[in-house]
Amino acid sequence: MWLAILAAVALFFRPLLLQKSKFASLTCHILMALPFFALASRFLANDTSFAHVVSYGGEDLPLRYRFAATWAAREGPLLLWVMWMTLLAYVWRNPMRGENTSSTHPLRLRLIYGFNLLILLLAWNLDPFKQSIGTGMGQGLNELLQTDLMVIHPPLIFLAYSLCLHISCIALSSMFADASGIEHRMLSIVRPGIFVSTLGIGLGGLWAYLILDWGGYWAWDPVETGSMLPWLALVLMSHLRTRPGKTSEKTWIGAGLAAGGLAFFATLVTRAGGVWASSVHTFVTDSAGTSPPDAFSRMMLLKSDGSAGVEVISYLVVLLLFIGFWLQLQRSSEKGWKPNTLSLRLFSLPIIGVLLALLVGMYNEISCGESSLQTCSSMVDSAVYGSVPTLAFTLLLFAPLAVEFRYGAAQIHASDEGWSFQKILQRKETSSALTSFLGILLIFLLIFGITENFLYTALFLIFFTPLFLAEDATKLWAHGAAGVMLGLAGAWSGMIEILSAGIIMLLFILPWLLAVESEEGANFSFFEKRSQQKMALWASVLVVGMYLILTLVLLLSSIDSINFEGHELYGTPFVVALACALFLYSNRRHDAKRNATLLAATLLLSLFLAIVQPTAFGMDSSTAMSSLLVRGVLVWLTLPVLLLVVIPMMKEVVITQGIERSKVPIWRRIPLGAHLVHLGLLLLLIGHAYTTVLVDRGDASHRVTMVKDEIVVHGNYGYEFTGLRLTSENLEVGDGYVGIEINVYEVNQGSIGEMIGTVEPGMLRFDTTTDSGFVLQSKSRSEVDTLTRWSGDIVFIFDGSQANGLMQQTAQNGSDSVQIVRVTVYDLPASHLVWLGWSTMLLGMGVVVLGGMSQNDRRKAIPVSSKEEE
């Protein structure tokens, strides 16, 4: 750890060390990654002299699970994160395309090494190589984590977060140095970032589908939702160059800050135990709920939570600074303006906080007795942030902007045309910087006063500050739309009152209400081809951006209970909008009036059928999603338009492949890859409608009680429980297994047909024993089984409440004594489309990544229209 920290410090002060000594640079990078491999080696060797290995390892674990145990707690994932960050820093150690070699390049590397240093210090504060005391063993690797997907899924997620953080370093270096060529630098990392993130999230869904007892690939757990946020940011960035008009450097910088900020936020959700008490991802911390009703207030309670509190607050500080830098970027729109670099020094605050915790911890180690060392260390860690008032963290939002107002230009200009908030503040032609700063502060206090939610108010500032400081606010209609979405999401989620949401939306639409009416929109017509293509190209950015806001607000409101219905209900309009945009784009060669008529007819037919036949799909279509809507209505609104665009998108893939005249190999054609991604997304959404929207996993009707040797008809199938299988031998993991053997039959018009398969859902038992072999406690894990048919899967989950009782009963009276069992059964038609769509998306993303690498190698773009490229 010492060597890694010293290496990070050396590279921070000498980011271009490679130019002086390749050997020294390579050595420093290896040293930064060394702690992760050192910790992994201790797990592989089951070295019980280390407390971390004692708590989470075990000699009975397969070798790959011992390796996976490295990132099973708080310490290991940080070292894994550093390893990935180090690898990426070395891969992109040379100047990137269009990067200024004297300013932007060294600043980007310095920022990366600075984040590495912060994470290393956080890991050191958690003491991953702490020596074990005594001979007792810990509980070992959590039973839910003893699966092959544990070996793959978390590392991919941290690799995705590392790519997002690297993108933020590009954004900050471009913001404070030279932004020339930022588009190419961003896309060179965004493309592999989307691929890795999609792969990681999909494998997490596969984990839930095959191993866990959720019965689906997506449960909207807060941690799952958190990992989706940076993915949405990456998707938005990948489409920035395809929308009509030139994307400004400021927009690229803001999107880059969002990617890294959301990666930190997702990490916060995962590791801030007790904040998102609704999460099932509670493997490393106690998730007992606390009294404050909002996430930020609960984070403030963690200030006094020892080393874990130092870690969580450090992430929060960085996240608030990212928002603050975005606000600073809005300070001026004058050509050639650069923000004051003094604000970059604010990044030293989280590093100083962790250093203080480490230094005082060392003092404790010397001054405290061994028996009270842990308690004393916790008190010192609490003193680092525990005594810092909440107001200090609030001020971090305004710190970069305050630096800019103090040392930057003294005036802010307002445009003679359009409408500007500055015209209200100005006395002559300009308003003073202090007046504008106070105006933003007062509005912040107003919104915080009516919402009583700090993080929600911070989101408000992100979108309102550009409007407030703009020379002509009416040109920033995208920010206005985002603000309206923020108000609606706050009201929908129940986070804020309807009156508060109305005030927020009014502030965002005020420029257009007060501005002189413009003739600019008079030429827009839904039946005109150019207008349709503008809608289609803008939708890729707006729909994703709006949905990101909705998802983030729903996540912030789901700290005590998961809002399953909210994600599906409020996400439906975005699915419809996305499908409409893809239809207009894929049919751009056809007559515009024909496209408009066909699309309108499909939407009207969907609405009509949703009203007159809401339960026509069967399954759980009659289950209420709100006081007015049932699940079947949502499927009727989305499924027809999704089906409408599938065939045109398939033709788009074939046409793109067929008419491409360049000599570029097919696996490097970016347009082909993009269309494959779109096709895969459509297939996934169709599968999602059948496997998630039409299935209520909280409905007790899916629990089937079976009597031995009797066929029970449930839905379209008959189920026959034929016996139990118990074993404690030849198990790769676990100490015992009980499985239920079930025959599945077709049911035709009420009569039992032929048997179509046999399944065996079960339960693994994990015992915690003493050295003498006495069992202290037993835990269990569902072993989900699926019957795969061409039409989809049927998922069987053994009811966990029966498992231990059945094991005891069979041990005393034999397996023949069990005559009744209870199983949860989900019939998931079209489930194959989910995995086919995900695989198709990955294939397309792989093509895009290879195409992007080819472009970078040749240092110039393939001659394809920018609107077609993505």
Side-chain angles (χ1 to χ4, degrees), residues 322-371:
F322 272 19
I323 298 175
F325 287 126
W326 166 248
L327 302 184
Q328 182 184 7
L329 187 62
Q330 311 311 312
R331 171 63 180 85
S332 174
S333 60
E334 297 175 4
K335 187 175 182 180
W337 170 87
K338 284 294 177 184
N340 195 290
T341 57
L342 288 175
S343 57
L344 276 174
R345 298 180 182 179
L346 293 168
F347 272 134
S348 63
L349 293 177
I351 294 179
I352 291 173
V354 186
L355 281 175
L356 285 174
L358 284 168
L359 291 174
V360 185
M362 292 178 183
Y363 173 78
N364 271 352
E365 192 172 350
I366 298 173
S367 60
C368 292
E370 184 175 318
S371 60

Side-chain angles (χ1 to χ4, degrees), residues 500-580:
S500 302
I503 294 173
I504 289 171
M505 290 188 285
L506 178 61
L507 285 173
F508 278 101
I509 65 175
L510 196 61
W512 291 271
L513 291 176
L514 299 180
V516 178
E517 187 175 352
S518 173
E519 298 286 337
E520 187 176 350
N523 296 325
F524 179 84
S525 173
F526 184 62
F527 294 93
E528 196 263 329
K529 188 175 224 179
R530 184 175 181 183
S531 298
Q532 288 182 2
Q533 289 312 298
K534 277 189 175 182
M535 290 172 57
L537 294 172
W538 265 110
S540 60
V541 174
L542 285 180
V543 172
V544 175
M546 301 296 180
Y547 186 65
L548 193 159
I549 295 170
L550 171 66
T551 306
L552 180 56
V553 173
L554 287 174
L555 177 58
L556 288 173
S557 66
S558 302
I559 54 178
D560 285 324
S561 60
I562 302 173
N563 193 349
F564 292 103
E565 289 77 13
H567 289 281
E568 301 297 339
L569 179 62
Y570 302 127
T572 295
F574 296 94
V575 175
V576 174
L578 177 65
C580 291

Side-chain angles (χ1 to χ4, degrees), residues 704 706-714 716-724 739-747 752-761 785 787 794 796 821 823 825:
V704 183
M706 303 180 189
V707 179
K708 189 174 182 180
D709 298 327
E710 293 184 10
I711 299 177
V712 177
V713 177
H714 183 268
N716 299 321
Y717 300 94
Y719 306 107
E720 180 186 20
F721 162 49
T722 60
L724 265 66
I740 305 172
E741 297 174 349
I742 301 173
N743 294 331
V744 184
Y745 299 86
E746 286 186 339
V747 175
I752 305 299
E754 63 179 7
M755 189 176 76
I756 58 177
T758 301
V759 293
E760 188 183 285
D785 200 2
L787 179 63
I794 307 176
F796 297 82
V821 295
V823 181
V825 181

Side-chain angles (χ1 to χ4, degrees), residues 682-861:
L682 289 171
L683 295 175
L684 191 153
L685 289 173
I686 294 171
H688 178 85
Y690 281 100
T691 61
T692 302
V693 182
L694 282 175
V695 179
D696 183 3
R697 287 179 173 78
D699 193 338
S701 65
H702 292 289
R703 297 171 191 160
V704 183
T705 300
M706 303 180 189
V707 179
K708 189 174 182 180
D709 298 327
E710 293 184 10
I711 299 177
V712 177
V713 177
H714 183 268
N716 299 321
Y717 300 94
Y719 306 107
E720 180 186 20
F721 162 49
T722 60
L724 265 66
R725 186 172 74 90
L726 293 93
T727 183
S728 58
E729 299 178 354
N730 300 321
L731 297 176
E732 187 175 39
V733 296
D735 300 289
Y737 169 80
V738 55
I740 305 172
E741 297 174 349
I742 301 173
N743 294 331
V744 184
Y745 299 86
E746 286 186 339
V747 175
N748 299 314
Q749 296 180 348
S751 61
I752 305 299
E754 63 179 7
M755 189 176 76
I756 58 177
T758 301
V759 293
E760 188 183 285
M763 193 73 62
L764 275 173
R765 189 186 76 247
F766 295 81
D767 297 333
T768 302
T769 60
T770 62
D771 294 336
S772 60
F774 178 75
V775 178
L776 294 175
Q777 63 175 337
S778 294
K779 295 182 179 180
S780 57
R781 182 186 85 188
S782 292
E783 289 292 287
V784 178
D785 200 2
T786 60
L787 179 63
T788 300
R789 309 194 72 200
W790 69 268
S791 58
D793 292 336
I794 307 176
V795 178
F796 297 82
I797 306 171
F798 183 26
D799 194 323
S801 62
Q802 297 185 80
N804 293 328
L806 285 180
M807 288 180 177
Q808 294 175 4
Q809 180 178 345
T810 53
Q812 296 174 2
N813 305 318
S815 60
D816 292 338
S817 65
V818 178
Q819 298 296 313
I820 299 178
V821 295
R822 189 169 58 249
V823 181
T824 301
V825 181
Y826 295 118
D827 182 11
L828 304 177
S831 60
H832 303 325
L833 290 180
V834 172
W835 307 112
L836 176 62
W838 173 57
S839 302
T840 304
M841 290 176 67
L842 286 173
L843 177 62
M845 290 172 183
V847 173
V848 172
V849 171
L850 291 174
M853 292 171 60
S854 176
Q855 286 185 357
N856 290 332
D857 290 342
R858 287 180 277 125
R859 292 288 178 176
K860 61 181 181 180

Side-chain angles (χ1 to χ4, degrees), residues 184-352:
H184 302 292
R185 295 196 294 279
M186 288 288 193
L187 288 176
S188 65
I189 299 184
V190 164
R191 288 164 176 159
I194 297 178
F195 178 84
V196 172
S197 184
T198 304
L199 179 60
I201 293 174
L203 288 176
L206 191 64
W207 189 346
Y209 189 72
L210 297 178
I211 305 298
L212 303 178
D213 58 1
W214 294 335
Y217 71 96
W218 196 253
W220 293 108
D221 180 85
V223 171
E224 291 179 312
T225 310
S227 68
M228 189 179 179
L229 293 173
W231 182 83
L232 288 170
L234 293 174
V235 171
L236 186 149
M237 293 181 69
S238 70
H239 290 86
L240 279 178
R241 65 184 296 184
T242 66
R243 68 170 185 78
K246 186 179 184 301
T247 301
S248 67
E249 294 172 347
K250 183 182 292 188
T251 302
W252 282 107
I253 293 171
L257 290 173
L262 290 172
F264 269 117
F265 181 75
T267 308
L268 257 179
V269 174
T270 307
R271 299 171 71 84
V275 175
W276 275 267
S278 57
S279 176
V280 300
H281 290 71
T282 54
F283 307 123
V284 297
T285 56
D286 182 11
S287 64
T290 49
S291 54
D294 65 287
F296 180 76
S297 298
R298 294 189 179 185
M299 291 178 192
M300 291 298 98
L301 292 180
L302 295 179
K303 292 188 299 181
S304 303
D305 192 19
S307 299
V310 173
E311 180 194 359
V312 169
I313 297 302
S314 297
Y315 296 148
L316 179 63
V317 169
V318 175
L319 178 60
L320 295 177
L321 287 176
F322 272 19
I323 298 175
F325 287 126
W326 166 248
L327 302 184
Q328 182 184 7
L329 187 62
Q330 311 311 312
R331 171 63 180 85
S332 174
S333 60
E334 297 175 4
K335 187 175 182 180
W337 170 87
K338 284 294 177 184
N340 195 290
T341 57
L342 288 175
S343 57
L344 276 174
R345 298 180 182 179
L346 293 168
F347 272 134
S348 63
L349 293 177
I351 294 179
I352 291 173

Side-chain angles (χ1 to χ4, degrees), residues 14-36:
R14 293 290 184 268
L16 301 181
L17 182 62
L18 177 71
Q19 297 179 359
K20 296 183 178 179
S21 173
K22 292 183 179 180
F23 176 78
S25 175
L26 178 61
T27 301
C28 286
H29 283 85
I30 291 175
L31 289 176
M32 280 194 297
L34 189 60
F36 168 73

